Amino acid sequence: MEIYGLGIIAACMFVGVFVGSIFAKLLGVSGDVGGVGIAMLLLVLVSNYIKLDEKTQNGIKLISNLYIPIIVAMAATQDVVKALSGGAVAFLAGGVATVASFFLVPLLSRIGKGEKISQGREM
Amino acid sequence: MSFVEIAAGIISKNSLVMSFAIVAITMFVGYRLSGLLGERRFGSALAIVIGLVLALIAGKYTGGSKGIADIKILSGFGVLGGAMFRDYAIISTAFGANIEELKKAGVAGIVSLFVGVIFSFIVGAAFALAFGFKSAVDVTTIGAGAVTFIVGPVTGGALGASSAVVALSIAAGVVKSVLCMIITPLVAPYIGLNNPQSAMVFGGLLGTTSGVAGGLAATDPKLVPYGAMTATFYTGLGCLLAPSVLFMIVRAILGS
């Protein structure tokens, strides 16, 4: 059933964020460290090693297809006024850090790169 | 009671459903516009930009900090665009991601996390110094803001920075996140951002979860899980390094 798919994502999310929160506690940081990342790794393991029936997969795909609309909603709830009004320091500090980081992408992408890059993965 | 009041009452009661409708219209407009421009792949990027513009207009109009979610009949946006659904949807994108691709970029991903946090911090701190901030606490807090808009206030709180400086650090982080959403699809072809490995490096370097997620979604949705996976470790690493090691280094350099 489709709802099983939604439940699997939920289970991954809770386990991941729980583990991430324990990491954070151990490190003395508030919030969670990589909780969503851990949850994603769990879902990757599930999708690579457990055979899910088609309807369950459709449940997961439904949420993953809603991802961009959710990001649009997120964009619409950002504090854009603050981003524009923080003054030159905020704009330059955030802006230059962002733009300069882009230039590091090709440099670091070379680390541990195989001979050829495979593409065209099915989502 | 006027028709407008009746309608507003119904919408307020069902504001999450209203947010589905508005987002659907935004997506439609975004894809229509990109179709007119002859660049259909920019549809989601345009929809995201429209979202940001709506947030700007709403922010000016309401004076609030949550974009259009501060308008009562649109408060459902706070749920749909909030951290809960964002994280839930980001996790779902990992479905079908290839384990081999992840392993291939593992080391590069971890290196990019450290480089990304430290590099952004240095840039932010340098601008703080250039603008006349002299205390180690202020410089560290603004530097942390250039990491992400969560690392800034967390660091400022830990170090006891003034609220004005904390606000600046948040602004720096928000600038980063917004710019990242807009620029990523434009520069992606030039920085080789077209495969899972570079997406993981990108996520580790930029790190702002919303910026990376939005930017990659607008570039190529297939890359989202790889970038998002490393990006989710970034803020945690920043919260760890900025108030501790990085602060000590700044203090040692500035001597105050």
Side-chain angles (χ1 to χ4, degrees):
Chain A
M1 273 205 293
E2 284 81 355
I3 190 68
Y4 295 162
L6 275 72
I8 288 170
I9 310 170
C12 290
M13 179 161 163
F14 283 117
V15 173
V17 175
F18 184 72
V19 173
S21 303
I22 290 173
F23 277 170
K25 274 272 183 301
L26 292 175
L27 294 166
V29 186
S30 62
D32 77 290
V33 175
V36 172
I38 296 163
M40 293 174 85
L41 286 173
L42 289 173
L43 190 61
V44 170
L45 292 177
V46 168
S47 68
N48 277 263
Y49 295 118
I50 299 173
K51 184 92 190 82
L52 300 173
D53 72 55
E54 179 142 1
K55 286 195 167 176
T56 305
Q57 292 194 23
N58 286 342
I60 300 176
K61 283 176 188 160
L62 166 72
I63 301 299
S64 115
N65 288 337
L66 281 179
Y67 172 73
I68 291 172
I70 285 171
I71 293 297
V72 171
M74 180 198 78
T77 54
Q78 298 295 303
D79 196 352
V80 181
V81 175
K82 182 168 234 160
L84 294 178
S85 67
V89 191
F91 200 80
L92 285 170
V96 174
T98 308
V99 174
S101 296
F102 278 109
F103 289 106
L104 294 177
V105 173
L107 289 177
L108 287 179
S109 296
R110 293 201 192 120
I111 300 173
K113 206 178 210 175
E115 316 75 69
K116 82 177 206 273
I117 301 155
S118 52
Q119 272 177 273
R121 191 175 45 82
E122 188 73 23
M123 282 268 299
Chain B
M1 189 180 246
S2 71
F3 287 119
V4 176
E5 278 172 36
I6 295 172
I10 295 168
I11 296 170
S12 294
K13 262 186 232 152
N14 302 288
S15 67
L16 180 59
V17 173
M18 187 61 187
S19 67
F20 290 143
I22 304 270
V23 171
I25 294 168
T26 310
M27 294 291 291
F28 178 78
V29 174
Y31 276 90
R32 262 297 156 91
L33 274 180
S34 71
L36 291 176
L37 295 171
E39 289 276 7
R40 220 176 138 62
R41 68 203 167 90
F42 284 139
S44 36
L46 284 171
I48 290 167
V49 172
I50 295 171
L52 291 170
V53 172
L54 292 175
L56 173 66
I57 297 167
K60 289 257 188 229
Y61 168 70
T62 64
S65 64
K66 294 198 294 279
I68 64 174
D70 284 322
I71 299 170
K72 191 158 177 289
I73 58 167
L74 298 176
S75 60
F77 268 86
V79 179
L80 186 62
M84 178 174 67
F85 268 133
R86 183 197 65 194
D87 291 350
Y88 189 65
I90 288 179
I91 293 166
S92 75
T93 63
F95 183 73
N98 191 318
I99 284 186
E100 296 310 314
E101 301 283 6
L102 289 178
K103 280 187 195 151
K104 248 192 268 172
V107 177
I110 293 166
V111 173
S112 69
L113 275 169
F114 280 89
V115 173
V117 169
I118 294 168
F119 180 73
S120 290
F121 180 87
I122 292 173
V123 172
F127 277 106
L129 280 174
F131 277 84
F133 290 91
K134 291 200 175 63
S135 87
V137 170
D138 292 352
V139 171
T140 305
T141 303
I142 295 171
V147 178
T148 71
F149 58 78
I150 296 171
V151 180
V154 166
T155 304
L159 301 177
S162 72
S163 70
V165 170
V166 169
L168 270 182
S169 78
I170 297 173
V174 176
V175 166
K176 185 179 187 184
S177 157
V178 170
L179 264 187
C180 190
M181 284 184 220
I182 297 172
I183 299 178
T184 306
L186 302 176
V187 300
Y190 307 106
I191 58 174
L193 187 54
N194 57 10
N195 59 77
Q197 283 80 16
S198 61
M200 280 181 74
V201 167
F202 171 76
L205 280 172
L206 273 304
T208 149
T209 314
S210 32
V212 166
L216 285 178
T219 307
D220 179 357
K222 283 199 211 62
L223 299 177
V224 169
Y226 299 101
M229 187 131 19
T230 40
T232 61
F233 288 92
Y234 185 90
T235 289
L237 185 65
C239 291
L240 200 62
L241 294 180
S244 56
V245 187
L246 295 174
F247 172 63
M248 283 188 271
I249 294 172
V250 170
R251 198 176 48 182
I253 294 172
L254 294 179
S256 59

